[in-house]
Amino acid sequence: MIAHRLLRSLAAALALLAAGSTGPTAAAPAPTLPTASVPADLSDELVYHIFVRSFRDSNGDRIGDLNGIRASIPYLRSLGVTAVLLTPLYPSRTYHNYFATSFEGIEPAYGTLADYRRLVAALHRAGIKLYLDMEFQYVVAGHPWWAAAKAAPTSPAGDLLLWDDRARGVLAEGPFGLRAFDHFGRDRQDVTTVDLKAPPVRAWVDRYLANWVDPNGDGRFDDGVDGFRLDHMMDDLDSRGVLTGLFTDFWRPAFTRLRTINPRLAFIAEQADWSSYGGDYFTQADVTAVFAFPLQQALRRFDRAALVAALAQTAAVTPPGKFQLVFAENHDIARTASDPGIDAEKLRTTAALVFFLKGTPILYQGQELGMRGVRDTGYQSDEAEIPLREAFKWAATDAAAGQATWYRRPGERYWDRRNARDHDGGSVAEQSGRAGSLLEHYRRLSRLRQRHVALRRGDQTVIDSASDLLAVRRSLAGESFVLVANLSGRDAFYTGPGSDRPDLLGGAKGVRLKPWQTALFCAGPAQRCASLRP
């Protein structure tokens, strides 16, 4: 009986590869359309990063889902969001869904393909783009490719994966040198690496991603994604010297083929090396955008010298028409509100730098509420990151409808010591409409950025100033603004361009900035600035 099941798995895997693995539908591959020179432009975007399982529950099972995201569109619009980035949707035994048990369909806890299609349609009607996170460099035990390859290592199915000893059936290790990992399910899961250079895999990737872009192959994209985030993207995968030259041999050709379907697709790379400015991702792989990791690290330290250096190098490596995503936090790093010495003014300044420094701002769900969390090093499993991924705070209490508290396990540290608590002031319900709240501050910054092209697309120049101050001018089309951040714990004084005008953020008194405070001054023509008020 076991042998028959394995043979069926082998046949199924080969059939999938032969027919073309599907994304949101079982449609045939989309037709190739003439190439048009209309590349993705992220200049005006505000991206919102959603950790699906933790965002919003729609059916009472305390697991975030697709219908919950759809119900949240009015909230996203109130923030000025123009694109959402979702963590992986494919089925997985891990709570974050990064290691797929199948690349087909939707994680059942998140909903159905019909739910997905309704979400795409609703987002697009609201003028919001959709980016999906993808990581198909690895598969785990239970995935059809794994089962088929292990059943017959020397068969064509075995060509899909890397091996340490194919004759003996020993698969290669997965990411970070792991052959197995512990996870929230309280068991160990074997993992291995996909052979990205195998011709069947390359062909499968083309078909798979194309089906997310144009599910019914009609050349219209209202029902498809607007781009992808490529997790853990590397030129030499895991620095093992086995899968090398991937930028030019694997990724760039894949992007080129997909752009013949929809030239406006955005490809966002997560650099595996967080010290990277991403220059080789642009020049070799031809991605649309990378994450501004060095800038993020300097920003979180409130280090003026490091910020100035990161701004200069970021500009130097970013070609015209390419983009850096400016961020403060994501699902893999500690929350800003948990940083040592953090206070309300620092949180406001962090937000202003993300919105107004040159680049495309991306917010991680809950940072606009001041959600807290740091990695729990007492866990050796992916439970260690649960504090960074706690349920988004829609309401003042955990018991309220919509709260995605899927990790509720009394007796576990990540639950008993959770950061979000009832009536702690950190929810949408408690902050929305309240003057001075962090949420309303984010909404205000978003409106300013939406209204002024210089704050979205303007040139950027660092202005000489006192050593405690970061002063940056953004100028375009007759508009000019100066963002001034006091990066010290003492009062600082700014007397440069725009200092005789009101602070558009409403906090600075004349030229004096309180510790860690940020101001935004109009530095353009007097007539243009006269109409602007805090």
Side-chain angles (χ1 to χ4, degrees), residues 20-24 29 89-91 100 102-105 132-136 201-213 228 258:
S21 182
T22 61
L89 298 181
Y90 39 64
S102 172
F103 292 123
E104 308 309 312
L132 289 186
D133 207 341
M134 290 286 173
E135 185 177 47
F136 40 73
V201 172
R202 296 186 191 203
W204 172 84
V205 168
D206 289 345
R207 291 188 293 263
Y208 179 70
L209 296 182
N211 275 312
W212 290 102
V213 172
F228 301 97
L258 287 164

Side-chain angles (χ1 to χ4, degrees), residues 392-414:
F392 184 85
K393 287 273 287 182
W394 292 102
T397 65
D398 284 335
Q403 298 299 114
T405 52
W406 53 269
Y407 49 93
R408 179 183 175 89
R409 278 184 178 173
E412 285 289 349
R413 282 196 312 277
Y414 53 69

Side-chain angles (χ1 to χ4, degrees), residues 348 434-438 440-441:
R348 291 164 66 88
R434 181 168 65 82
S437 71
L438 187 61
E440 292 303 331
H441 180 64

Side-chain angles (χ1 to χ4, degrees), residues 66-312:
L66 299 175
N67 288 334
I69 297 171
R70 183 158 57 93
S72 306
I73 289 175
Y75 174 75
L76 298 173
R77 294 190 67 181
S78 80
L79 273 174
V81 169
T82 65
V84 293
L85 166 62
L86 306 186
T87 49
L89 298 181
Y90 39 64
S92 173
R93 286 165 60 194
T94 60
Y95 71 80
H96 43 74
N97 290 79
Y98 274 98
F99 297 113
T101 52
S102 172
F103 292 123
E104 308 309 312
I106 301 292
E107 165 64 48
Y110 298 162
T112 65
L113 285 170
D115 295 329
Y116 169 79
R117 288 191 287 268
R118 283 190 287 268
L119 172 60
V120 175
L123 287 170
H124 286 167
R125 282 196 302 270
I128 298 174
K129 295 177 181 177
L130 173 62
Y131 302 138
L132 289 186
D133 207 341
M134 290 286 173
E135 185 177 47
F136 40 73
Q137 299 95 307
Y138 312 101
V139 295
V140 294
H143 190 287
W145 295 4
W146 177 293
K150 290 289 281 186
T154 59
S155 72
D159 295 339
L160 310 178
L161 307 179
L162 290 184
W163 299 85
D164 281 347
D165 189 334
R166 192 162 176 173
R168 296 176 59 196
V170 180
L171 286 163
E173 63 191 25
F176 312 113
L178 297 174
R179 294 185 182 278
F181 59 91
D182 299 319
H183 65 98
F184 183 74
R186 292 301 169 89
D187 61 4
R188 287 181 66 78
Q189 191 163 11
D190 294 334
V191 62
T192 192
T193 301
V194 173
D195 186 355
L196 298 181
K197 290 199 168 185
V201 172
R202 296 186 191 203
W204 172 84
V205 168
D206 289 345
R207 291 188 293 263
Y208 179 70
L209 296 182
N211 275 312
W212 290 102
V213 172
D214 189 4
N216 56 13
D218 63 359
R220 298 179 54 184
F221 311 115
D222 54 329
D223 54 354
V225 300
D226 301 283
F228 301 97
R229 174 187 181 273
L230 293 315
D231 188 75
H232 195 67
M233 184 174 165
M234 300 182 72
D235 188 45
D236 175 2
L237 189 59
D238 295 313
S239 304
R240 296 206 296 254
V242 177
L243 292 174
T244 60
L246 293 177
F247 283 175
T248 56
D249 296 344
F250 177 81
W251 292 111
R252 189 182 189 108
F255 300 157
T256 298
R257 287 188 287 269
L258 287 164
R259 284 175 174 133
T260 65
I261 299 171
N262 181 359
R264 296 180 183 270
L265 285 175
F267 298 98
I268 301 169
E270 184 216 21
Q271 306 96 294
D273 176 2
W274 288 0
S275 67
S276 167
Y277 284 88
D280 51 346
Y281 287 79
F282 293 130
T283 58
Q284 297 180 39
D286 196 23
V287 302
T288 309
V290 298
F291 289 85
F293 280 108
L295 186 60
Q296 180 268 340
Q297 292 153 18
L299 190 158
R300 289 281 288 266
R301 297 198 305 270
F302 292 88
D303 185 328
R304 182 189 184 278
L307 273 167
V308 171
L311 288 171

